[in-house]
Amino acid sequence: MTNNAAVDGGLQSAMRRALELAAHGPATGVNPRVGCVVVNPAGEILAEGWHRGAGTRHAEVDALAQLAPDAAHGSTVVVTLEPCNHVGRTGPCAQALIEAGVARVVYSVTDPGEHSCGGAERLRAAGIDVQGGLLADVGEAFLGDWLSAARLGRPFVTVKWASSLDGRAAAADGSSRWITGAEARLDVHRRRSASDTILVGTGTVLADDPALTARDADGGLLARQPVPVVVGRREVPASAALFAHPQQPLFFDGLDLSALLADLHTRAVRSVFIEGGPTVASAFVAAGLVDEYLAYLAPTLIGGPRLAITDIGVATIGEQRRLSIHSLDRLGDDVLIVARPLTP
């Protein structure tokens, strides 16, 4: 007699292992991080695999490659994302699983890709038992900005600012170093490194001459550096610090923000980290193109006109843009509030 609770627990354990494997893959770029575990009918792990980046074997094929021919016959494949159903740089994983003779496929998140989706249907048509949605909340959280970019057809957009408790991002003379403390600034650099791009306006470049790099506590460059994106029509001098950035900067006039994001999407950019200034950040907010807000609040008061966000098209209180608090963290003396737009 089959113990269904034990079977379900075993699948959850295998899925958690698949998520651990997926974390070995690159966190940025066009491809998702995917992990795969192949188990036999007794629940024993036969093989493991993960996707190592564009052009490499997908997680399912990577796991199958660890096995001898026919060794996967009758097995259960546990994978974090629905097996793909298209030919790109590699063949469709759904077909590879069919040819391997697996009996069952269990996945966490449905593939939202226009060209890559449909793997589950292809597997079922071949007589394979398919179950989707296992630990879906965990899988969705893990895939994060890639999943959002795949669904929206544009990069995931984060707007960040650091301000006093009264919402000021700088003093009246424009000086802003430093409102927040060292722990908050290190957190910003960590998040920069995790993003594909870092975006600012020409006003910020001309006023502050930022390097737009991601750095450690000692000022050294982190291993991953976001591509600088500069928005605006004013000319940036050749002596600007951003031209010494390890990545080649990209420039846009900013007249059409949706077109800007569409262009970045074609360049395999899946995340945009907007650091300012207030004019550019507010333009993205007003256009409804922000997916996440990071507000670093320092326990200080500044007053004056230098607000973190300016006009976003709210003329009356009924038009205010309500957000939901995703997380709230203490960073030294500062507080980080992560908020996201309310979904309808």
Side-chain angles (χ1 to χ4, degrees), residues 39-318:
V39 298
N40 64 18
E44 300 167 330
I45 293 178
L46 297 176
E48 299 178 338
W50 69 89
H51 185 45
R52 291 165 173 80
T56 66
R57 293 185 302 210
H58 287 194
E60 301 94 317
V61 176
D62 187 49
L64 292 174
Q66 316 306 316
L67 298 172
D70 298 327
H73 189 81
S75 66
T76 293
V77 170
V78 179
V79 61
T80 55
L81 183 67
E82 176 188 4
C84 70
N85 189 38
H86 78 300
V87 176
R89 296 188 188 181
T90 60
C93 292
Q95 185 59 37
L97 295 172
I98 293 169
E99 293 174 357
V102 306
R104 188 182 190 191
V105 173
V106 179
Y107 65 88
S108 177
V109 179
T110 299
D111 189 336
E114 180 181 354
H115 302 293
S116 57
C117 66
E121 292 180 12
R122 186 170 185 172
L123 291 165
R124 290 191 181 101
I128 296 174
D129 181 24
V130 179
Q131 174 190 345
L134 182 64
L135 299 182
D137 290 346
V138 180
E140 293 246 356
F142 174 80
L143 285 168
D145 54 12
W146 177 85
L147 198 58
S148 176
R151 288 170 174 166
L152 294 172
R154 63 163 176 78
F156 184 89
V157 176
T158 297
V159 164
K160 164 263 172 183
W161 67 79
S163 73
S164 59
L165 290 183
D166 55 344
R168 268 59 184 181
D173 65 355
S175 60
S176 60
R177 298 183 181 178
W178 297 104
I179 293 175
T180 54
E183 287 189 41
R185 296 197 297 273
L186 277 177
D187 188 74
V188 170
H189 282 283
R190 178 182 63 81
R191 293 174 185 271
R192 283 184 182 182
S193 180
S195 182
D196 287 331
T197 59
I198 177 171
L199 186 150
V200 297
T202 52
T204 293
V205 173
L206 296 174
D208 299 336
D209 194 25
L212 302 181
T213 51
R215 302 180 296 278
D216 61 24
D218 297 321
L221 294 179
L222 296 176
R224 277 209 75 264
Q225 292 294 323
V227 174
V229 177
V230 180
V231 178
R233 283 168 283 177
R234 285 186 282 180
E235 185 177 353
V236 175
S239 60
L242 66 88
F243 287 113
H245 196 285
Q247 303 278 11
Q248 183 71 30
L250 300 175
F251 294 88
F252 296 88
D253 61 21
L255 296 177
D256 187 335
L257 298 183
S258 292
L260 182 159
L261 292 178
D263 185 296
L264 292 177
H265 192 62
T266 65
R267 300 171 189 256
V269 170
R270 75 187 196 198
S271 56
V272 174
F273 193 77
I274 299 177
E275 288 235 27
T279 300
V280 167
S282 300
F284 274 90
V285 176
L289 294 172
V290 180
D291 304 300
E292 183 176 71
Y293 296 85
L294 306 180
Y296 293 84
L297 302 181
T300 187
L301 301 173
I302 297 176
R306 302 276 186 165
L307 294 170
I309 293 291
T310 57
D311 182 17
I312 57 171
V314 175
T316 180
I317 197 66

